[in-house]
Amino acid sequence: MAFRTGEGKPQAKIVLQADSHEQLSHILLALNRAVMAYQPQAHTERETADMKR
């Protein structure tokens, strides 16, 4: 894993290795869920209305 800080946005680069495509998919989905859980929930009125349909 490598990371940098500085004038731009914080950045990290990682390499994932898995025993199978299925395992890699599970790892990536878990990583996506973790990132989404950290992000603030900002929905516009239209997005909220679309989600209720």
Side-chain angles (χ1 to χ4, degrees):
M1 180 167 75
F3 69 93
R4 71 172 178 89
T5 58
E7 297 176 18
K9 292 183 178 182
Q11 182 182 49
K13 295 180 181 183
I14 61 171
V15 175
L16 297 173
Q17 188 172 19
D19 294 331
S20 67
H21 288 288
E22 183 180 11
Q23 185 183 37
L24 182 60
S25 292
H26 284 286
I27 293 168
L28 292 172
L29 288 171
L31 180 59
N32 183 58
R33 283 191 299 273
V35 169
M36 297 304 288
Y38 184 76
Q39 307 252 337
Q41 296 295 323
H43 294 290
T44 64
E45 289 180 23
R46 180 182 177 117
E47 288 173 334
T48 303
D50 288 344
M51 289 171 47
K52 290 181 180 178
R53 289 186 198 169

